[in-house]
Amino acid sequence: AQKVTQAQTEISVVEKEDVTLDCVYETRDTTYYLFWYKQPPSGELVFLIRRNSFDEQNEISGRYSWNFQKSTSSFNFTITASQVVDSAVYFCALLLYNQGGKLIFGQGTELSVKP
Amino acid sequence: EAGVVQSPRYKIIEKKQPVAFWCNPISGHNTLYWYRQNLGQGPELLIRYENEEAVDDSQLPKDRFSAERLKGVDSTLKIQPAELGDSAVYLCASSPGGYRDTEAFFGQGTRLTVV
């Protein structure tokens, strides 16, 4: 069975703190994609990153960074020097190569950044 | 470029009434998805279209839900009759096609409340 687990339901930090959002996935497929989406209060899901299963290179984009480790089936997301505008619900998702475009989402982590 | 447009943004109906949601994908996007997001959960796929064809509707409750995508552009999702458990946010997403190479872009969703 395929599954994505985001164990942290809610995280609250003070502005400028670093914060890591955890994501653990389950699949027996060898070819898959992993995603992170941000859902602000306005409701739309904003794409942040896509990673395929053969690319374990970590990625940094500004204050955002992602750590992909196949050995632990994890794809964690770190925000450095958090800002109030980072407050949102963040979703990790899995897409299997041979099952069409169906995204399997985790339950989401609600991040609250306080000034 | 305009994003995925959904309407209405909010809808409140009484149980047993019909309801319809409309989605206009990004121009040129061949693939269209409908997801349902229950409160505090990640979105779950209801149906996926490739142009006019529904290629994955395995998660669509066909006794009361129907969808169409005439001419391979706009799409409508209908519920008849609505039940209390249908209260959720209904998200539409689109991608250029070739889901293995691109991410999906989401609309702001329609928040349905059934009373």
Side-chain angles (χ1 to χ4, degrees):
Chain A
Q2 297 82 35
K3 185 180 178 181
V4 175
T5 301
Q6 294 179 255
Q8 305 149 308
T9 304
E10 297 178 12
I11 299 177
S12 182
V13 299
V14 177
E15 208 170 19
K16 299 184 183 178
E17 285 185 18
D18 298 347
V19 58
T20 295
L21 310 182
D22 297 333
C23 172
V24 174
Y25 62 93
E26 296 176 29
T27 180
R28 292 183 178 178
D29 287 33
T30 56
T31 307
Y32 51 88
Y33 297 87
L34 295 165
F35 296 77
W36 276 94
Y37 279 87
K38 174 181 180 180
Q39 189 173 43
S42 53
E44 78 277 20
L45 285 160
V46 178
F47 167 80
L48 296 177
I49 189 171
R50 181 176 70 109
R51 236 331 155 242
N52 74 56
S53 53
F54 298 107
D55 182 3
E56 284 193 73
Q57 209 169 17
N58 292 332
E59 177 142 346
I60 298 174
S61 176
R63 297 183 297 106
Y64 295 171
S65 62
W66 291 270
N67 183 298
F68 176 27
Q69 292 194 343
K70 288 179 74 171
S71 60
T72 56
S73 297
S74 65
F75 187 43
N76 296 337
F77 173 32
T78 297
I79 302 174
T80 302
S82 59
Q83 300 176 2
V84 173
V85 293
D86 296 327
S87 297
V89 181
Y90 291 86
F91 289 96
C92 181
L94 169 69
L95 187 153
L96 302 179
Y97 189 77
N98 293 317
Q99 289 195 18
K102 174 183 176 180
L103 284 163
I104 300 167
F105 285 88
Q107 292 191 309
T109 297
E110 183 173 5
L111 175 64
S112 176
V113 182
K114 302 186 186 307
Chain B
E1 179 181 313
V4 176
V5 179
Q6 291 187 245
S7 69
R9 287 294 314 278
Y10 305 93
K11 189 74 176 178
I12 301 175
I13 61 171
E14 294 184 346
K15 62 182 180 182
K16 300 185 181 180
Q17 294 302 305
V19 65
F21 315 126
W22 175 80
C23 173
N24 180 233
I26 293 173
S27 178
H29 282 196
N30 298 325
T31 306
L32 184 145
Y33 314 79
W34 282 102
Y35 283 83
R36 177 169 61 186
Q37 184 177 16
N38 293 317
L39 186 64
Q41 304 290 318
E44 295 180 323
L45 182 70
L46 290 174
I47 189 168
R48 175 171 69 95
Y49 282 92
E50 295 290 345
N51 298 303
E52 303 90 354
E53 183 182 0
V55 295
D56 183 358
D57 63 356
S58 57
Q59 303 300 311
L60 190 71
K62 298 182 184 61
D63 56 336
R64 298 183 299 108
F65 285 65
S66 64
E68 61 182 11
R69 191 185 184 196
L70 301 178
K71 301 181 182 178
V73 181
D74 294 2
S75 177
T76 302
L77 178 68
K78 298 178 181 177
I79 308 175
Q80 183 171 11
E83 297 179 351
L84 294 177
D86 296 329
S87 294
V89 175
Y90 291 83
L91 292 161
C92 180
S94 70
S95 64
Y99 65 88
R100 293 164 179 169
D101 302 316
T102 64
E103 67 276 11
F105 296 84
F106 284 79
Q108 291 185 305
T110 297
R111 182 178 297 277
L112 173 67
T113 302
V114 182
V115 297

